[in-house]
Amino acid sequence: MISDSRTYVIAEIGINHNGDIDQALEMIRKSKEAGCDAVKFQKRTVDIVYSAEELARPRENVFGTTNGDLKRGLEFGKADYDRIDQLSKELGIDWFASPWDEGSVDFLLDYDTPYIKVASAMVTDRDFLEYCARSGRPLLVSTGMSDMAMVRSFVDVIERSGGEIACLYHCTSTYPTRDDEINLRGISTLKEAFPHLKIGFSGHEEGILPSVCAAALGACSIERHVTLDRSDWGSDQKASLEIPEVADMVAQIRRVEVVRGDGVLRFYEDEKPIAEKLRRKVTLQAA
């Protein structure tokens, strides 16, 4: 669970499984081996999220010739999520998903997951926010495509509707995100604006440095898209980390947690022989 003492690392599998449940299960295994605390998926009721015109739009893909063929091919149903739920429990890794419509919220509530994730694309939909808030499930909320006024607005809607925001994520919704758009100081801005909330970072940048820096700046949760192979087909692959990079990121974040310390200045025992060797004399004592 998300806390202030240990960075909660989420591997967003999203739709990078490309509609293959066996690949999705392997990504869960690899994310666990890499040290992640959770994996995240995306859930849509295709005929509600997309218009008939959009679904009929020509689009050559591995599932057929229309955009609808692609969207339906990428979507997992109950039997698939039952397997995701079972494996995650066996491995001891959390799982949850970003619903894109109210029916998908209801679908996910049938599973004992710790959170519902509200994607950046959904934070301007008041009805959806209120529905999620009333679900009783703690919410993780991303702030991509939003300025501070918009963030204040959707936080207010969720909280006035009785929702619990377990973590608010600084986020930029470009894929991959350029360095000059990451703006990690936004983490501090959100901390100051919402002192009662935990603040995390959802990144889409290349490499791991910004995510490690986000942890050093106090982000209590880091979310990154993951993939087994960045050269695989799919819209999110190029903004994703491959598993060895994920493992490296987690290891660096765990080191950050140690070196960040607690801020109390100490005269360490290991320093005392050095002081005895290097200091000529002691004329100052602690007050």
Side-chain angles (χ1 to χ4, degrees):
M1 301 294 286
I2 294 175
S3 70
D4 291 322
S5 60
R6 186 177 186 274
T7 310
Y8 188 80
V9 181
I10 304 167
E12 168 148 15
I13 293 172
I15 56 173
N16 280 350
H17 50 70
N18 288 340
D20 184 339
I21 184 58
D22 291 324
Q23 181 165 314
L25 298 177
E26 180 65 7
M27 294 175 79
I28 296 173
R29 295 187 190 96
K30 293 297 185 182
S31 296
K32 173 65 176 181
E33 291 173 6
C36 295
D37 299 292
V39 292
K40 186 179 82 69
F41 294 87
Q42 297 175 17
K43 185 73 181 88
R44 296 169 175 85
T45 307
V46 172
D47 293 321
I48 292 177
V49 173
Y50 302 100
S51 67
E53 293 76 14
E54 178 63 22
L55 293 175
R57 183 169 59 84
R59 184 177 183 179
E60 291 292 333
N61 62 85
V62 298
F63 301 110
T65 59
T66 69
N67 197 38
D69 292 329
L70 175 62
K71 300 304 182 184
R72 294 186 180 94
L74 290 173
E75 201 60 43
F76 284 158
K78 186 177 187 308
D80 301 311
Y81 274 101
D82 285 349
R83 294 180 67 185
I84 288 169
D85 185 58
Q86 180 180 355
L87 178 62
S88 298
K89 288 177 178 176
E90 290 173 358
L91 295 177
I93 188 171
D94 291 342
W95 81 270
F96 44 90
S98 298
W100 289 64
D101 59 274
E102 289 83 350
S104 293
V105 174
D106 293 340
F107 177 93
L108 294 170
L109 289 176
D110 284 339
Y111 296 93
D112 185 21
T113 59
Y115 306 108
I116 285 175
K117 177 68 190 294
V118 178
S120 296
M122 304 303 297
V123 297
T124 55
D125 187 331
R126 176 182 287 271
D127 291 341
F128 179 79
L129 293 179
E130 292 175 344
Y131 198 86
C132 290
R134 292 193 298 266
S135 73
R137 195 69 53 91
L139 306 180
L140 310 180
V141 185
S142 280
T143 64
M145 300 178 285
S146 304
D147 59 23
M148 181 53 77
M150 297 169 71
V151 175
R152 289 188 186 279
S153 179
F154 64 69
V155 167
D156 183 66
V157 168
I158 291 170
E159 293 185 335
R160 285 181 178 271
S161 302
E164 175 193 349
I165 300 177
C167 189
L168 186 67
Y169 289 79
H170 175 57
C171 176
T172 303
S173 297
T174 52
Y175 308 84
T177 305
R178 300 197 317 260
D179 283 358
D180 62 343
E181 294 179 335
I182 295 172
N183 191 23
L184 288 180
R185 287 184 176 179
I187 295 169
S188 298
T189 300
L190 291 174
K191 282 177 173 286
E192 293 171 5
F194 306 101
H196 64 295
L197 295 180
K198 292 181 172 61
I199 306 301
F201 174 67
S202 179
H204 307 106
E205 70 275 5
E206 295 179 341
I208 68 172
L209 178 62
S211 293
V212 175
C213 290
L217 289 171
C220 65
S221 178
I222 303 294
E223 178 186 67
R224 291 297 305 271
H225 283 262
V226 302
T227 180
L228 297 179
D229 184 350
R230 200 156 37 237
S231 67
D232 204 352
W233 68 271
S235 58
D236 290 341
Q237 305 287 0
K238 286 182 172 54
S240 302
L241 298 176
E242 294 183 350
I243 297 300
E245 295 172 297
V246 177
D248 188 18
M249 181 187 73
V250 173
Q252 295 293 336
I253 288 173
R254 299 298 172 231
R255 186 180 182 192
V256 161
E257 291 169 347
V258 175
V259 303
R260 192 169 54 202
D262 60 10
V264 177
L265 298 186
R266 298 176 177 86
F267 187 178
Y268 290 98
E269 287 297 321
D270 286 350
E271 291 181 300
K272 290 180 179 178
I274 309 301
E276 190 173 323
K277 177 181 177 182
L278 297 180
R279 284 177 172 161
R280 291 196 311 169
K281 53 186 171 182
V282 177
T283 59
L284 294 175
Q285 298 294 335

